[in-house]
Amino acid sequence: MSIRILIVGTGMMAHHHTEAFEAMEDVEVVGGVDRDADTLSEFCRQHGLSQSFTSVEAAVAWGQFDAASNVTPDRVHHATTLPLLDARKHVLCEKPLATNHGDARDMVVRAEDAGVINMVNLTYRRSGALTTASELIRDGAIGEVRHFEASYLQDWLNLPGWSEEPFFLWRLSTAHGSTGTLGDLGVHILDYATFAAGASPASISCRLATFEKAPGRSVGDYVFDANDSFTMHLQLDNGATGVIHSSRFASGHHNDLLLSLHGTRGALQVSDIDGREQLRGCLGNDVGSRTWADIPFRPAPTNFEKFVAAIRSGRSGEPDFARGADLQKVLDLAVQSSDQACRSIDVAT
Ligand SMILES: NC(=O)c1ccc[n+]([C@@H]2O[C@H](COP(=O)([O-])OP(=O)(O)OC[C@H]3O[C@@H](n4cnc5c(N)ncnc54)[C@H](O)[C@@H]3O)[C@@H](O)[C@H]2O)c1
């Protein structure tokens, strides 16, 4: 039987969701929801959707869908997901799951109560290189993980034109719902690194940085107060220690994730450079000669494919809301750590 999907929030990323679902067999996008009537009608026209709603509640009252993809801005994920869960609809929600751990946990509990499939769109789980790295580490290929370094680098704040695009501007302004680089990119790279390492953060410290980008630190009503870069130090619950950092000022990097993991018996490097994946290892007998070699990997399913497969099988799909909430807790603590300038020692004193 065909699975009927509702798209909630019909902005930029919603086109990608819709195209991904429409490309699957026996999956049908049946309608769109957006509070902005112009965006909604243009989206429905482009994708040939006959059902459109200006609120989730109106769509739920109509009810003729099995699942929803929530592609609204971060700060409305919580409010727009709850009515869907209460109506027992399966939900794939964009990342970050919420903007604070309390809301994220609320979504986990409500999804469990509803007994529906719940997933968060941590895009880079689609990486075959990442999946193979996590399997190799789980199987002991590098021994005990001791050290890791991970980064997610973008460069758009160094390129002309960003200050004229609302697409970029809202990402710099907390009043427009941004949690900065930490919430936007940090959630991806935190998931990427800890998924591969097969361990969870046990303790963290973090520094957020916000740089001057325009006279008066604003353009129109977009006040540039969200963080542009962060540097985080983590201890994982398997004893490994490492660093994660991210920036929108990383010249030479359009959209690049890089991860190195070092263990007692070898090392892996996994990367996603503008969508080009690579997995390399220094393993076994090659450790002594410090020889690195490419490791083959199979493509992994996208979150859209996993979501549909989970609905069909009735078995929960990964990454789920609980994973999204765990990551959100780390993001909250990172802000707290930065605000408290934890154990910062001024070099000049
Ligand atoms: N996984 C990824 O790699 C990835 C990439 C880009 C964006 N995202 C995430 O996707 C989400 C959407 O981002 P975007 O760039 O498409 O934003 P966008 O602003 O282009 O689109 C969001 C849409 O939601 C609508 N909306 C706002 N409040 C609403 C509400 N209460 N009910 C219904 N509609 C509402 C807006 O009118 C807008 O049309 C964000 O959470 C973002 O972090 C994820």
Side-chain angles (χ1 to χ4, degrees):
M1 210 173 86
S2 188
I3 293 176
R4 301 164 302 169
I5 308 268
L6 179 78
I7 302 290
V8 181
T10 59
M12 188 274 294
M13 192 62 183
H15 295 277
H16 176 59
H17 282 230
T18 304
E19 283 154 18
F21 284 122
E22 289 285 16
M24 282 179 234
E25 239 172 71
D26 290 333
V27 178
E28 194 189 351
V29 176
V30 293
V33 178
D34 204 294
R35 63 176 189 183
D36 183 294
D38 292 342
T39 305
L40 178 63
S41 66
E42 178 54 21
F43 180 86
C44 290
R45 189 195 63 75
Q46 276 186 39
H47 296 283
L49 307 180
S50 58
Q51 299 296 329
S52 61
F53 307 91
T54 51
S55 73
V56 172
E57 287 75 9
V60 164
W62 170 66
Q64 291 173 44
F65 61 101
D66 307 298
S69 229
N70 190 341
V71 209
T72 58
D74 308 358
R75 65 177 165 179
V76 292
H77 289 171
H78 177 253
T80 48
T81 295
L82 294 188
L84 296 165
L85 298 176
D86 291 345
R88 296 186 186 277
K89 305 295 183 188
H90 309 291
V91 180
L92 172 68
C93 184
E94 260 306 342
K95 57 80 224 175
L97 184 59
T99 48
N100 63 73
H101 183 233
D103 281 355
R105 279 302 311 167
D106 195 28
M107 293 164 78
V108 173
V109 171
R110 299 281 277 270
E112 283 169 359
D113 287 350
V116 294
I117 301 300
N118 54 93
M119 286 182 61
V120 56
N121 190 28
L122 293 160
T123 301
Y124 300 97
R125 290 288 188 101
R126 59 134 164 81
S127 164
L130 179 70
T131 306
T132 303
S134 81
E135 290 165 358
L136 285 168
I137 287 175
R138 186 194 59 204
D139 295 344
I142 68 167
E144 302 280 322
V145 184
R146 293 282 194 249
H147 185 86
F148 64 96
E149 56 180 316
S151 58
Y152 189 163
L153 305 175
Q154 293 185 341
D155 62 355
W156 55 269
L157 279 171
N158 282 337
L159 302 178
W162 64 263
S163 61
E164 285 137 41
E165 294 285 342
F167 170 80
F168 289 125
L169 291 171
W170 82 262
R171 289 176 158 75
L172 305 173
S173 163
T174 59
H176 289 80
S178 175
T179 48
T181 304
L182 182 70
D184 189 17
L185 310 185
V187 68
H188 281 304
I189 193 66
L190 191 57
D191 178 66
Y192 196 83
T194 57
F195 174 66
S200 300
S203 72
I204 64 134
S205 62
C206 184
R207 291 298 152 82
L208 305 175
T210 307
F211 298 96
E212 186 153 350
K213 298 173 282 293
R217 293 175 184 262
S218 63
V219 166
D221 64 349
Y222 295 93
V223 176
F224 298 156
D225 57 350
N227 60 84
D228 303 312
S229 297
F230 75 84
T231 47
M232 190 186 290
H233 169 251
L234 303 91
Q235 202 101 41
L236 302 186
D237 60 7
N238 63 359
T241 186
V243 290
I244 297 183
H245 62 100
S246 180
S247 179
R248 294 162 169 169
F249 278 109
S251 298
H253 294 275
H254 176 231
N255 190 57
D256 300 348
L257 292 86
L258 305 152
L259 169 65
S260 300
L261 299 130
H262 304 271
T264 50
R265 291 199 284 118
L268 291 173
Q269 286 180 344
V270 52
S271 58
D272 196 309
I273 308 293
D274 230 353
R276 291 185 313 280
E277 297 176 45
Q278 192 178 38
L279 176 61
R280 299 175 74 229
C282 177
L283 303 171
N285 292 335
D286 287 342
V287 170
S289 59
R290 302 179 187 107
T291 304
W292 289 80
D294 285 341
I295 298 174
F297 55 86
R298 294 179 311 281
T302 65
N303 290 326
F304 307 106
E305 290 165 335
K306 286 193 276 187
F307 183 57
V308 165
I311 294 170
R312 288 200 201 287
S313 70
R315 284 194 300 275
S316 70
E318 286 284 329
D320 60 8
F321 279 13
R323 173 68 174 175
D326 287 348
L327 293 168
Q328 189 60 48
K329 184 171 189 182
V330 179
L331 300 184
D332 288 8
L333 293 173
V335 174
Q336 202 178 312
S337 168
S338 186
D339 286 350
Q340 293 171 357
C342 280
R343 293 163 66 182
S344 171
I345 302 174
D346 195 339
V347 176
T349 59

